[in-house]
Amino acid sequence: TFQTNILTELKNWKLSLIQHHKLQMRQEKEKHATQVKQLQNEVENLKELLHAYETSISRKDEVITNLSRALEKQKERVEVMRRFSLWRIQHVKAKQEECAIRMADRHFQTALMKKVWAAWRSVCEERWKDNVAKACQLRAEDVCVQLTNDYEAKIAELTATVEQANAEILRLHSEREQYEDTMKKAFMRGVCALNLEAMTMFQSK
């Protein structure tokens, strides 16, 4: 009786301990499962964040590559425009020198003709009568006037050509400055776009 009660009590106590142990084990398993699930969720979130970072870095690399290519192309264009401008300036200078040489040659020919005419006039004055000398003088003056008018018209034409060439040179310089300014603005827009994208990423983080 007493022994039976003790045995029964021990049995109940043993069962209670077993149930308590099972309850603790189940709670620990549930806690462990919850922690594992949380860790898995954190790993998935980190994977997504890593993928987002990789995508952002890839986009930034692509933007940098595109900007570098655009910058190289712009440098090539500026170099081509610079060479073309130098060629045009040299071409205009060569034309100016050629015009100056032709004008000097024509002036020399005119001076020579005047000298020849003066010598011929001196001979004519000695051999011919005054009326023939006067007629020759009038004819020579008409020729000189015509030559002078022709030369003045040619000089005006050459001056207009030189002014047009100088205007073209100024236009080319202006275009080159516009190209350089456009390249700088494109580069600054690219840098601003990168900064804005970086700020967006940090804010989203």
Side-chain angles (χ1 to χ4, degrees):
T1 55
F2 179 74
Q3 185 177 2
T4 303
N5 291 332
I6 292 175
L7 292 174
T8 303
E9 187 68 26
L10 289 174
K11 185 178 182 181
N12 292 333
W13 181 67
K14 181 179 181 182
L15 291 174
S16 177
L17 285 176
I18 292 172
Q19 290 178 357
H20 180 70
H21 179 70
K22 288 181 178 180
L23 179 62
Q24 286 184 347
M25 289 294 294
R26 186 169 62 251
Q27 290 178 352
E28 289 295 330
K29 286 181 179 180
E30 291 176 354
K31 184 178 179 181
H32 178 70
T34 302
Q35 291 179 352
V36 169
K37 188 175 181 180
Q38 290 178 354
L39 291 175
Q40 288 177 351
N41 291 332
E42 290 181 0
V43 169
E44 292 297 327
N45 292 331
L46 289 175
K47 285 182 179 179
E48 292 179 357
L49 184 60
L50 178 61
H51 180 68
Y53 280 146
E54 290 177 350
T55 303
S56 177
I57 291 172
S58 176
R59 289 179 181 176
K60 288 180 181 179
D61 291 339
E62 184 178 356
V63 170
I64 291 172
T65 302
N66 293 332
L67 287 175
S68 298
R69 291 178 181 175
L71 185 60
E72 290 297 328
K73 289 182 180 179
Q74 194 66 28
K75 286 182 179 179
E76 291 177 358
R77 290 179 183 176
V78 172
E79 182 65 21
V80 170
M81 290 301 299
R82 186 184 68 82
R83 292 181 181 178
F84 180 71
S85 300
L86 290 176
W87 177 82
R88 287 298 300 269
I89 292 171
Q90 292 177 355
H91 184 66
V92 170
K93 287 183 178 179
K95 280 189 175 181
Q96 290 176 350
E97 291 178 357
E98 184 179 357
C99 292
I101 291 172
R102 285 202 301 266
M103 291 176 64
D105 189 26
R106 289 182 182 180
H107 180 71
F108 174 76
Q109 294 293 333
T110 302
L112 183 61
M113 287 175 62
K114 287 181 179 180
K115 288 181 180 180
V116 172
W117 178 78
W120 178 76
R121 173 185 166 183
S122 177
V123 173
C124 288
E125 285 179 352
E126 292 177 359
R127 295 181 181 181
W128 303 95
K129 294 180 181 181
D130 294 335
N131 55 355
V132 176
K134 290 179 181 180
C136 291
Q137 182 178 1
L138 292 174
R139 178 60 179 167
E141 289 177 355
D142 291 336
V143 172
C144 290
V145 170
Q146 184 64 32
L147 289 173
T148 302
N149 293 331
D150 292 339
Y151 291 152
E152 289 178 353
K154 189 64 177 178
I155 289 170
E157 181 181 357
L158 293 174
T159 302
T161 302
V162 171
E163 291 178 354
Q164 184 178 2
N166 289 329
E168 182 67 14
I169 291 171
L170 292 175
R171 186 182 67 81
L172 291 173
H173 283 297
S174 178
E175 289 181 358
R176 183 179 67 182
E177 292 176 356
Q178 290 179 359
Y179 285 145
E180 291 177 352
D181 187 57
T182 302
M183 179 182 66
K184 291 178 180 178
K185 289 181 179 179
F187 183 76
M188 291 303 296
R189 285 198 297 270
V191 173
C192 290
L194 288 176
N195 290 333
L196 287 175
E197 188 173 358
M199 289 177 63
T200 303
M201 290 301 302
F202 283 120
Q203 289 177 359
S204 64
K205 179 178 177 183

